[in-house]
Amino acid sequence: MQAVWRGGISLGTIDIPVVLHKATEADSGLVLHQVHAEDGSRVRHTWWCEEEDREIEHRDVAKGYQHPDGRRVVLSDEELAALLPPDKERISVLASVDVGSIDPVTLGQAYHVGGADPMTDRFYVLLRDTLRESGRVAVTKVALGTRESLAVLRAHDDLLVLQTMSWPEEVRHPTGIAPKSDIAVRPQELKMAMHLLDILSEGFALEELHDDYQRALQQVVADRLEETAPPHRADVTDLTALLQSSLEAVRSGRADAAPARKSAAGKTASAAKRATAQKKPATGAAPAQKTTAENTPTRNTAAENTTAKKATPRRAS
């Protein structure tokens, strides 16, 4: 499991090195993208400057605030970084409170807390068992991402679990949402309702529940995929086989080319020998004159042979 945060729990003067792992997964099923309805191609979001009416690069985007009167404030990365607490790698324990005093509405993302140093595992176990035996949770502050959050630290089985909380000013007060207070429920109705809940709870196992929507979505996508031919792509798993076949093809090509190169070399050598033999008699002046004298009757003989051939009638085929 990949760690998403590394730091330590600060409990007074005791520091316990820990790592955080996400305990839940919000998008565990199929992820749907925004696509063009006509051809199914992906739709990309661009960074558009309203003032200049043009697209800009992501590197030119900053954080800012616009006052209702129109004034604008652009904050630099350095200014935002300076707002974080100096110790960004610390879970600071502020106090411990009863479990029942924490409103579940305020609870957010949960993280499994793992020990990061075997030398301090004793302190980890001490804090875990103390929270379990006392029935309390530790209220902490921690900087996750770009902001500081409230969080509770509690014992869960053999682990510590950190769960972020909303700040008190972030919790909305449900004014005017509840039913009218003058509605009364009779004892017999309450008893029957409790009996109904007991019947519904028989054989119930929370771990057996699943996301029906995700299962139906996966089935729809699987059916549609069967109707569509997959795009042609090289199978990464067959890369070794492709390389092996390529090597064999190259070796075979070289073996076939070797005799041709040898034959060509032989022809070149024979031609060179013939040229050398023709050049050797012409190394001196005297032999050159003798050859010229002897060539005269040869030319006559060749002419006579040509005449004889012309006179010989061609045999019918």
Side-chain angles (χ1 to χ4, degrees), residues 125-189:
V125 174
L126 175 62
L127 177 59
R128 181 199 64 194
D129 292 352
T130 301
L131 293 176
R132 179 189 292 122
E133 294 298 327
S134 64
R136 301 169 73 85
V137 295
V139 180
T140 69
K141 274 186 177 183
V142 58
L144 298 174
T146 58
R147 59 172 297 182
E148 188 178 43
S149 301
L150 274 179
V152 291
L153 197 62
R154 58 186 175 86
H156 180 68
D157 295 335
D158 58 347
L159 277 178
L160 286 171
V161 172
L162 183 80
Q163 196 160 7
T164 59
M165 295 177 59
S166 299
W167 295 93
E169 61 267 21
E170 294 176 335
V171 179
R172 296 181 176 182
H173 298 284
T175 305
I177 299 178
K180 295 180 180 180
S181 59
D182 58 353
I183 298 177
V185 176
R186 292 180 296 180
Q188 184 63 22
E189 294 172 336

Short mmCIF file of all heavy atoms in Angstrom, two decimals, residues 125-189:
data_model
loop_
_atom_site.label_atom_id
_atom_site.label_comp_id
_atom_site.label_asym_id
_atom_site.label_seq_id
_atom_site.Cartn_x
_atom_site.Cartn_y
_atom_site.Cartn_z
N VAL A 125 2.31 1.56 20.22
CA VAL A 125 1.41 0.64 20.91
C VAL A 125 0.88 1.27 22.19
O VAL A 125 -0.30 1.10 22.54
CB VAL A 125 2.13 -0.69 21.21
CG1 VAL A 125 1.27 -1.61 22.06
CG2 VAL A 125 2.51 -1.39 19.90
N LEU A 126 1.72 2.03 22.88
CA LEU A 126 1.29 2.69 24.11
C LEU A 126 0.15 3.68 23.84
O LEU A 126 -0.86 3.69 24.56
CB LEU A 126 2.47 3.41 24.75
CG LEU A 126 2.16 4.24 26.00
CD1 LEU A 126 1.63 3.35 27.12
CD2 LEU A 126 3.40 5.01 26.46
N LEU A 127 0.29 4.50 22.81
CA LEU A 127 -0.76 5.47 22.48
C LEU A 127 -2.03 4.75 22.02
O LEU A 127 -3.15 5.12 22.43
CB LEU A 127 -0.26 6.41 21.39
CG LEU A 127 -1.26 7.44 20.86
CD1 LEU A 127 -1.77 8.33 21.99
CD2 LEU A 127 -0.64 8.28 19.76
N ARG A 128 -1.89 3.72 21.21
CA ARG A 128 -3.05 2.97 20.72
C ARG A 128 -3.83 2.35 21.87
O ARG A 128 -5.06 2.48 21.95
CB ARG A 128 -2.59 1.89 19.74
CG ARG A 128 -3.69 1.05 19.15
CD ARG A 128 -3.14 -0.24 18.58
NE ARG A 128 -2.56 -1.09 19.63
CZ ARG A 128 -1.77 -2.14 19.40
NH1 ARG A 128 -1.45 -2.47 18.17
NH2 ARG A 128 -1.32 -2.86 20.41
N ASP A 129 -3.12 1.67 22.76
CA ASP A 129 -3.80 0.98 23.86
C ASP A 129 -4.39 1.98 24.85
O ASP A 129 -5.45 1.72 25.46
CB ASP A 129 -2.83 0.05 24.58
CG ASP A 129 -2.41 -1.14 23.72
OD1 ASP A 129 -3.02 -1.30 22.63
OD2 ASP A 129 -1.49 -1.87 24.10
N THR A 130 -3.75 3.11 25.04
CA THR A 130 -4.28 4.14 25.94
C THR A 130 -5.61 4.67 25.43
O THR A 130 -6.58 4.83 26.20
CB THR A 130 -3.28 5.29 26.10
OG1 THR A 130 -2.04 4.78 26.62
CG2 THR A 130 -3.81 6.35 27.04
N LEU A 131 -5.69 4.95 24.14
CA LEU A 131 -6.93 5.44 23.56
C LEU A 131 -8.02 4.37 23.62
O LEU A 131 -9.19 4.67 23.90
CB LEU A 131 -6.70 5.88 22.10
CG LEU A 131 -5.82 7.11 21.91
CD1 LEU A 131 -5.58 7.37 20.43
CD2 LEU A 131 -6.45 8.35 22.56
N ARG A 132 -7.66 3.12 23.37
CA ARG A 132 -8.65 2.05 23.40
C ARG A 132 -9.20 1.85 24.81
O ARG A 132 -10.42 1.73 25.00
CB ARG A 132 -8.03 0.76 22.89
CG ARG A 132 -9.01 -0.41 22.92
CD ARG A 132 -8.37 -1.74 22.62
NE ARG A 132 -7.93 -1.81 21.25
CZ ARG A 132 -6.68 -2.05 20.86
NH1 ARG A 132 -5.74 -2.25 21.79
NH2 ARG A 132 -6.34 -2.10 19.59
N GLU A 133 -8.32 1.79 25.80
CA GLU A 133 -8.76 1.52 27.17
C GLU A 133 -9.55 2.68 27.76
O GLU A 133 -10.46 2.46 28.56
CB GLU A 133 -7.54 1.22 28.06
CG GLU A 133 -6.80 -0.05 27.69
CD GLU A 133 -7.66 -1.29 27.85
OE1 GLU A 133 -8.52 -1.33 28.76
OE2 GLU A 133 -7.49 -2.24 27.06
N SER A 134 -9.23 3.89 27.36
CA SER A 134 -9.91 5.06 27.91
C SER A 134 -11.22 5.38 27.19
O SER A 134 -12.03 6.16 27.70
CB SER A 134 -9.00 6.28 27.86
OG SER A 134 -8.70 6.62 26.50
N GLY A 135 -11.43 4.79 26.00
CA GLY A 135 -12.62 5.10 25.22
C GLY A 135 -12.61 6.52 24.70
O GLY A 135 -13.68 7.12 24.50
N ARG A 136 -11.44 7.07 24.47
CA ARG A 136 -11.31 8.44 24.02
C ARG A 136 -10.60 8.50 22.66
O ARG A 136 -10.01 7.51 22.21
CB ARG A 136 -10.54 9.28 25.05
CG ARG A 136 -11.18 9.30 26.41
CD ARG A 136 -10.27 9.91 27.47
NE ARG A 136 -10.16 11.36 27.34
CZ ARG A 136 -11.03 12.23 27.86
NH1 ARG A 136 -12.08 11.79 28.54
NH2 ARG A 136 -10.85 13.52 27.71
N VAL A 137 -10.69 9.64 22.05
CA VAL A 137 -9.97 9.90 20.80
C VAL A 137 -9.12 11.15 21.01
O VAL A 137 -9.46 12.01 21.83
CB VAL A 137 -10.94 10.10 19.60
CG1 VAL A 137 -11.71 8.82 19.31
CG2 VAL A 137 -11.89 11.26 19.86
N ALA A 138 -8.03 11.23 20.29
CA ALA A 138 -7.14 12.38 20.38
C ALA A 138 -7.48 13.37 19.28
O ALA A 138 -7.58 12.99 18.11
CB ALA A 138 -5.69 11.94 20.27
N VAL A 139 -7.70 14.62 19.65
CA VAL A 139 -7.93 15.69 18.68
C VAL A 139 -6.57 16.26 18.28
O VAL A 139 -5.76 16.62 19.14
CB VAL A 139 -8.83 16.79 19.26
CG1 VAL A 139 -9.06 17.89 18.23
CG2 VAL A 139 -10.16 16.20 19.70
N THR A 140 -6.33 16.33 16.97
CA THR A 140 -5.01 16.73 16.48
C THR A 140 -5.14 17.80 15.40
O THR A 140 -6.23 18.07 14.88
CB THR A 140 -4.26 15.52 15.89
OG1 THR A 140 -4.91 15.12 14.67
CG2 THR A 140 -4.22 14.36 16.87
N LYS A 141 -4.00 18.37 15.05
CA LYS A 141 -3.85 19.23 13.88
C LYS A 141 -2.81 18.63 12.97
O LYS A 141 -1.76 18.15 13.43
CB LYS A 141 -3.39 20.64 14.29
CG LYS A 141 -4.49 21.60 14.68
CD LYS A 141 -3.90 22.99 14.91
CE LYS A 141 -4.99 24.01 15.22
NZ LYS A 141 -4.43 25.37 15.39
N VAL A 142 -3.07 18.65 11.66
CA VAL A 142 -2.13 18.09 10.70
C VAL A 142 -2.26 18.85 9.39
O VAL A 142 -3.36 19.26 9.01
CB VAL A 142 -2.38 16.58 10.50
CG1 VAL A 142 -3.79 16.31 10.01
CG2 VAL A 142 -1.36 15.98 9.54
N ALA A 143 -1.13 19.05 8.73
CA ALA A 143 -1.13 19.72 7.42
C ALA A 143 -1.07 18.65 6.34
O ALA A 143 -0.04 18.00 6.15
CB ALA A 143 0.07 20.66 7.30
N LEU A 144 -2.18 18.45 5.65
CA LEU A 144 -2.26 17.51 4.54
C LEU A 144 -2.53 18.30 3.27
O LEU A 144 -3.52 19.01 3.17
CB LEU A 144 -3.38 16.49 4.76
CG LEU A 144 -3.24 15.59 6.00
CD1 LEU A 144 -4.48 14.73 6.17
CD2 LEU A 144 -2.01 14.71 5.87
N GLY A 145 -1.64 18.15 2.30
CA GLY A 145 -1.80 18.93 1.07
C GLY A 145 -1.40 20.37 1.30
O GLY A 145 -0.34 20.68 1.84
N THR A 146 -2.30 21.28 0.92
CA THR A 146 -1.97 22.71 0.98
C THR A 146 -2.63 23.42 2.15
O THR A 146 -2.58 24.65 2.22
CB THR A 146 -2.40 23.40 -0.33
OG1 THR A 146 -3.82 23.20 -0.51
CG2 THR A 146 -1.65 22.81 -1.52
N ARG A 147 -3.27 22.69 3.05
CA ARG A 147 -3.93 23.35 4.16
C ARG A 147 -3.83 22.52 5.42
O ARG A 147 -3.63 21.30 5.38
CB ARG A 147 -5.40 23.66 3.83
CG ARG A 147 -6.22 22.44 3.51
CD ARG A 147 -7.70 22.77 3.39
NE ARG A 147 -8.23 23.26 4.66
CZ ARG A 147 -9.50 23.60 4.85
NH1 ARG A 147 -10.36 23.53 3.86
NH2 ARG A 147 -9.93 24.02 6.02
N GLU A 148 -4.01 23.20 6.56
CA GLU A 148 -4.01 22.53 7.85
C GLU A 148 -5.42 22.07 8.20
O GLU A 148 -6.39 22.79 7.93
CB GLU A 148 -3.48 23.48 8.92
CG GLU A 148 -3.24 22.83 10.27
CD GLU A 148 -2.67 23.81 11.28
OE1 GLU A 148 -3.16 24.95 11.33
OE2 GLU A 148 -1.75 23.42 12.01
N SER A 149 -5.53 20.89 8.76
CA SER A 149 -6.84 20.33 9.08
C SER A 149 -6.89 19.88 10.53
O SER A 149 -5.87 19.53 11.13
CB SER A 149 -7.14 19.13 8.18
OG SER A 149 -7.12 19.47 6.81
N LEU A 150 -8.11 19.87 11.05
CA LEU A 150 -8.36 19.18 12.30
C LEU A 150 -8.49 17.70 12.00
O LEU A 150 -8.91 17.32 10.90
CB LEU A 150 -9.65 19.68 12.94
CG LEU A 150 -9.61 20.92 13.84
CD1 LEU A 150 -11.01 21.23 14.35
CD2 LEU A 150 -8.66 20.73 15.01
N ALA A 151 -8.15 16.86 12.96
CA ALA A 151 -8.27 15.42 12.76
C ALA A 151 -8.39 14.75 14.12
O ALA A 151 -7.96 15.29 15.14
CB ALA A 151 -7.08 14.87 11.99
N VAL A 152 -8.98 13.57 14.10
CA VAL A 152 -9.05 12.76 15.32
C VAL A 152 -8.21 11.52 15.11
O VAL A 152 -8.14 10.95 14.02
CB VAL A 152 -10.50 12.37 15.66
CG1 VAL A 152 -11.30 13.57 16.09
CG2 VAL A 152 -11.19 11.66 14.51
N LEU A 153 -7.58 11.10 16.17
CA LEU A 153 -6.74 9.91 16.17
C LEU A 153 -7.38 8.91 17.11
O LEU A 153 -7.61 9.20 18.30
CB LEU A 153 -5.33 10.28 16.66
CG LEU A 153 -4.19 9.30 16.38
CD1 LEU A 153 -3.98 9.13 14.88
CD2 LEU A 153 -2.90 9.83 17.02
N ARG A 154 -7.72 7.72 16.60
CA ARG A 154 -8.41 6.73 17.41
C ARG A 154 -7.83 5.35 17.17
O ARG A 154 -7.15 5.11 16.17
CB ARG A 154 -9.90 6.73 17.11
CG ARG A 154 -10.25 6.46 15.66
CD ARG A 154 -11.74 6.63 15.42
NE ARG A 154 -12.09 6.49 14.01
CZ ARG A 154 -12.35 5.36 13.40
NH1 ARG A 154 -12.29 4.22 14.09
NH2 ARG A 154 -12.66 5.32 12.12
N ALA A 155 -8.12 4.44 18.10
CA ALA A 155 -7.67 3.06 17.99
C ALA A 155 -8.72 2.27 17.22
O ALA A 155 -9.92 2.39 17.47
CB ALA A 155 -7.46 2.46 19.37
N HIS A 156 -8.24 1.46 16.28
CA HIS A 156 -9.14 0.60 15.49
C HIS A 156 -8.43 -0.73 15.28
O HIS A 156 -7.45 -0.80 14.53
CB HIS A 156 -9.49 1.25 14.16
CG HIS A 156 -10.39 0.42 13.31
ND1 HIS A 156 -11.71 0.17 13.65
CD2 HIS A 156 -10.17 -0.25 12.15
CE1 HIS A 156 -12.26 -0.59 12.73
NE2 HIS A 156 -11.35 -0.87 11.81
N ASP A 157 -8.92 -1.76 15.94
CA ASP A 157 -8.25 -3.07 15.93
C ASP A 157 -6.82 -2.90 16.42
O ASP A 157 -6.61 -2.38 17.52
CB ASP A 157 -8.31 -3.69 14.54
CG ASP A 157 -9.75 -4.01 14.12
OD1 ASP A 157 -10.59 -4.21 15.01
OD2 ASP A 157 -10.02 -4.03 12.91
N ASP A 158 -5.83 -3.29 15.64
CA ASP A 158 -4.45 -3.17 16.09
C ASP A 158 -3.75 -1.95 15.48
O ASP A 158 -2.52 -1.86 15.51
CB ASP A 158 -3.66 -4.43 15.75
CG ASP A 158 -3.67 -4.74 14.26
OD1 ASP A 158 -4.48 -4.12 13.53
OD2 ASP A 158 -2.87 -5.58 13.81
N LEU A 159 -4.54 -1.03 14.92
CA LEU A 159 -3.98 0.14 14.26
C LEU A 159 -4.46 1.42 14.91
O LEU A 159 -5.47 1.45 15.62
CB LEU A 159 -4.38 0.18 12.78
CG LEU A 159 -3.57 -0.64 11.78
CD1 LEU A 159 -4.20 -0.49 10.40
CD2 LEU A 159 -2.12 -0.21 11.74
N LEU A 160 -3.76 2.50 14.62
CA LEU A 160 -4.25 3.85 14.85
C LEU A 160 -4.84 4.34 13.55
O LEU A 160 -4.29 4.07 12.47
CB LEU A 160 -3.13 4.78 15.30
CG LEU A 160 -2.62 4.62 16.73
CD1 LEU A 160 -1.37 5.45 16.95
CD2 LEU A 160 -3.70 5.00 17.75
N VAL A 161 -5.95 5.04 13.62
CA VAL A 161 -6.59 5.61 12.44
C VAL A 161 -6.72 7.10 12.63
O VAL A 161 -7.19 7.56 13.68
CB VAL A 161 -7.97 4.98 12.21
CG1 VAL A 161 -8.72 5.69 11.09
CG2 VAL A 161 -7.83 3.50 11.87
N LEU A 162 -6.29 7.85 11.61
CA LEU A 162 -6.44 9.30 11.62
C LEU A 162 -7.57 9.67 10.67
O LEU A 162 -7.61 9.20 9.54
CB LEU A 162 -5.13 9.97 11.15
CG LEU A 162 -5.14 11.49 11.17
CD1 LEU A 162 -4.90 12.01 12.58
CD2 LEU A 162 -4.07 12.06 10.23
N GLN A 163 -8.49 10.49 11.15
CA GLN A 163 -9.63 10.89 10.32
C GLN A 163 -9.79 12.41 10.39
O GLN A 163 -9.91 12.99 11.46
CB GLN A 163 -10.91 10.20 10.80
CG GLN A 163 -12.04 10.26 9.79
CD GLN A 163 -13.09 9.20 10.04
OE1 GLN A 163 -13.04 8.49 11.06
NE2 GLN A 163 -14.05 9.06 9.15
N THR A 164 -9.75 13.03 9.21
CA THR A 164 -9.85 14.48 9.16
C THR A 164 -11.23 14.95 9.62
O THR A 164 -12.21 14.20 9.55
CB THR A 164 -9.57 15.01 7.74
OG1 THR A 164 -10.53 14.43 6.84
CG2 THR A 164 -8.16 14.65 7.30
N MET A 165 -11.28 16.20 10.07
CA MET A 165 -12.53 16.80 10.55
C MET A 165 -12.73 18.16 9.91
O MET A 165 -11.76 18.81 9.50
CB MET A 165 -12.49 16.98 12.08
CG MET A 165 -12.42 15.71 12.88
SD MET A 165 -12.29 16.11 14.65
CE MET A 165 -13.79 17.06 14.90
N SER A 166 -13.98 18.56 9.85
CA SER A 166 -14.29 19.92 9.43
C SER A 166 -14.08 20.86 10.61
O SER A 166 -14.28 20.48 11.77
CB SER A 166 -15.75 20.02 8.96
OG SER A 166 -15.99 19.18 7.85
N TRP A 167 -13.67 22.09 10.31
CA TRP A 167 -13.55 23.09 11.35
C TRP A 167 -14.95 23.47 11.82
O TRP A 167 -15.92 23.36 11.06
CB TRP A 167 -12.82 24.32 10.82
CG TRP A 167 -11.40 24.05 10.45
CD1 TRP A 167 -10.92 23.71 9.22
CD2 TRP A 167 -10.27 24.06 11.32
NE1 TRP A 167 -9.57 23.51 9.26
CE2 TRP A 167 -9.13 23.73 10.54
CE3 TRP A 167 -10.10 24.33 12.68
CZ2 TRP A 167 -7.85 23.66 11.08
CZ3 TRP A 167 -8.81 24.26 13.21
CH2 TRP A 167 -7.71 23.94 12.42
N PRO A 168 -15.09 23.89 13.08
CA PRO A 168 -16.44 24.22 13.59
C PRO A 168 -17.18 25.23 12.71
O PRO A 168 -18.40 25.10 12.51
CB PRO A 168 -16.15 24.81 14.98
CG PRO A 168 -14.88 24.13 15.40
CD PRO A 168 -14.07 23.98 14.15
N GLU A 169 -16.49 26.21 12.14
CA GLU A 169 -17.17 27.21 11.31
C GLU A 169 -17.61 26.65 9.96
O GLU A 169 -18.36 27.30 9.22
CB GLU A 169 -16.29 28.44 11.10
CG GLU A 169 -14.99 28.18 10.39
CD GLU A 169 -13.84 27.91 11.34
OE1 GLU A 169 -14.11 27.52 12.50
OE2 GLU A 169 -12.68 28.09 10.92
N GLU A 170 -17.12 25.46 9.61
CA GLU A 170 -17.51 24.86 8.34
C GLU A 170 -18.78 24.01 8.43
O GLU A 170 -19.33 23.61 7.41
CB GLU A 170 -16.36 23.97 7.81
CG GLU A 170 -15.11 24.74 7.44
CD GLU A 170 -13.97 23.84 7.02
OE1 GLU A 170 -13.96 22.67 7.44
OE2 GLU A 170 -13.08 24.30 6.27
N VAL A 171 -19.24 23.75 9.64
CA VAL A 171 -20.43 22.91 9.84
C VAL A 171 -21.67 23.79 9.72
O VAL A 171 -21.81 24.81 10.42
CB VAL A 171 -20.40 22.22 11.21
CG1 VAL A 171 -21.65 21.37 11.40
CG2 VAL A 171 -19.15 21.36 11.33
N ARG A 172 -22.59 23.41 8.84
CA ARG A 172 -23.82 24.17 8.65
C ARG A 172 -24.85 23.80 9.72
O ARG A 172 -25.01 22.62 10.04
CB ARG A 172 -24.41 23.91 7.27
CG ARG A 172 -23.53 24.38 6.12
CD ARG A 172 -24.21 24.11 4.80
NE ARG A 172 -23.43 24.64 3.68
CZ ARG A 172 -23.83 24.55 2.41
NH1 ARG A 172 -24.98 23.96 2.13
NH2 ARG A 172 -23.08 25.07 1.45
N HIS A 173 -25.54 24.78 10.21
CA HIS A 173 -26.59 24.54 11.20
C HIS A 173 -27.92 24.30 10.47
O HIS A 173 -28.37 25.15 9.70
CB HIS A 173 -26.70 25.73 12.15
CG HIS A 173 -25.45 25.98 12.94
ND1 HIS A 173 -25.09 25.18 14.01
CD2 HIS A 173 -24.47 26.90 12.80
CE1 HIS A 173 -23.93 25.61 14.51
NE2 HIS A 173 -23.54 26.66 13.78
N PRO A 174 -28.58 23.15 10.72
CA PRO A 174 -29.79 22.79 9.97
C PRO A 174 -31.04 23.52 10.47
O PRO A 174 -31.94 22.92 11.07
CB PRO A 174 -29.90 21.28 10.20
CG PRO A 174 -29.29 21.08 11.55
CD PRO A 174 -28.19 22.09 11.67
N THR A 175 -31.10 24.79 10.23
CA THR A 175 -32.25 25.58 10.68
C THR A 175 -33.44 25.39 9.74
O THR A 175 -33.30 25.53 8.52
CB THR A 175 -31.87 27.07 10.74
OG1 THR A 175 -30.71 27.23 11.56
CG2 THR A 175 -33.02 27.90 11.29
N GLY A 176 -34.60 25.05 10.33
CA GLY A 176 -35.83 24.93 9.55
C GLY A 176 -35.93 23.69 8.69
O GLY A 176 -36.78 23.64 7.79
N ILE A 177 -35.10 22.70 8.93
CA ILE A 177 -35.12 21.48 8.12
C ILE A 177 -35.91 20.37 8.82
O ILE A 177 -36.62 19.60 8.16
CB ILE A 177 -33.69 21.01 7.82
CG1 ILE A 177 -32.94 22.07 7.02
CG2 ILE A 177 -33.70 19.68 7.06
CD1 ILE A 177 -31.52 21.72 6.70
N ALA A 178 -35.82 20.29 10.14
CA ALA A 178 -36.47 19.21 10.89
C ALA A 178 -38.00 19.35 10.84
O ALA A 178 -38.53 20.45 10.67
CB ALA A 178 -35.98 19.22 12.33
N PRO A 179 -38.74 18.23 11.00
CA PRO A 179 -40.21 18.30 11.06
C PRO A 179 -40.68 19.14 12.26
O PRO A 179 -39.90 19.43 13.17
CB PRO A 179 -40.64 16.84 11.20
CG PRO A 179 -39.47 16.05 10.70
CD PRO A 179 -38.25 16.85 11.04
N LYS A 180 -41.93 19.48 12.25
CA LYS A 180 -42.47 20.30 13.34
C LYS A 180 -42.35 19.57 14.67
O LYS A 180 -42.53 18.36 14.76
CB LYS A 180 -43.93 20.63 13.06
CG LYS A 180 -44.12 21.51 11.83
CD LYS A 180 -45.61 21.80 11.61
CE LYS A 180 -45.79 22.69 10.39
NZ LYS A 180 -47.24 22.98 10.14
N SER A 181 -42.05 20.33 15.69
CA SER A 181 -41.80 19.73 17.01
C SER A 181 -43.06 19.29 17.73
O SER A 181 -42.99 18.63 18.77
CB SER A 181 -41.04 20.74 17.89
OG SER A 181 -41.80 21.94 18.01
N ASP A 182 -44.26 19.65 17.24
CA ASP A 182 -45.50 19.28 17.93
C ASP A 182 -46.03 17.92 17.51
O ASP A 182 -47.14 17.53 17.90
CB ASP A 182 -46.57 20.35 17.70
CG ASP A 182 -46.86 20.56 16.20
OD1 ASP A 182 -46.13 19.97 15.39
OD2 ASP A 182 -47.80 21.31 15.88
N ILE A 183 -45.29 17.19 16.70
CA ILE A 183 -45.71 15.84 16.28
C ILE A 183 -45.33 14.85 17.38
O ILE A 183 -44.15 14.79 17.78
CB ILE A 183 -45.07 15.44 14.95
CG1 ILE A 183 -45.49 16.41 13.83
CG2 ILE A 183 -45.44 14.01 14.58
CD1 ILE A 183 -44.85 16.12 12.50
N ALA A 184 -46.30 14.08 17.87
CA ALA A 184 -46.06 13.11 18.95
C ALA A 184 -46.21 11.69 18.41
O ALA A 184 -47.06 11.40 17.57
CB ALA A 184 -47.05 13.34 20.10
N VAL A 185 -45.34 10.79 18.87
CA VAL A 185 -45.37 9.38 18.48
C VAL A 185 -45.85 8.57 19.68
O VAL A 185 -45.32 8.70 20.79
CB VAL A 185 -43.98 8.91 18.02
CG1 VAL A 185 -44.01 7.42 17.70
CG2 VAL A 185 -43.51 9.71 16.83
N ARG A 186 -46.82 7.69 19.48
CA ARG A 186 -47.35 6.87 20.56
C ARG A 186 -46.39 5.72 20.89
O ARG A 186 -45.67 5.24 20.02
CB ARG A 186 -48.72 6.30 20.16
CG ARG A 186 -49.82 7.38 20.04
CD ARG A 186 -51.13 6.75 19.66
NE ARG A 186 -51.07 6.13 18.34
CZ ARG A 186 -52.11 5.52 17.78
NH1 ARG A 186 -53.27 5.41 18.44
NH2 ARG A 186 -51.99 4.98 16.58
N PRO A 187 -46.36 5.28 22.16
CA PRO A 187 -45.46 4.19 22.57
C PRO A 187 -45.64 2.91 21.76
O PRO A 187 -44.66 2.23 21.44
CB PRO A 187 -45.81 3.98 24.04
CG PRO A 187 -46.38 5.28 24.48
CD PRO A 187 -47.11 5.83 23.29
N GLN A 188 -46.89 2.58 21.39
CA GLN A 188 -47.13 1.37 20.63
C GLN A 188 -46.50 1.47 19.23
O GLN A 188 -45.94 0.50 18.72
CB GLN A 188 -48.63 1.11 20.51
CG GLN A 188 -49.02 -0.18 19.81
CD GLN A 188 -48.52 -1.42 20.55
OE1 GLN A 188 -48.25 -1.38 21.77
NE2 GLN A 188 -48.39 -2.53 19.83
N GLU A 189 -46.58 2.64 18.62
CA GLU A 189 -45.97 2.85 17.30
C GLU A 189 -44.45 2.74 17.38
O GLU A 189 -43.81 2.16 16.50
CB GLU A 189 -46.38 4.22 16.76
CG GLU A 189 -47.86 4.35 16.46
CD GLU A 189 -48.26 5.76 16.11
OE1 GLU A 189 -47.53 6.70 16.52
OE2 GLU A 189 -49.28 5.94 15.41
#
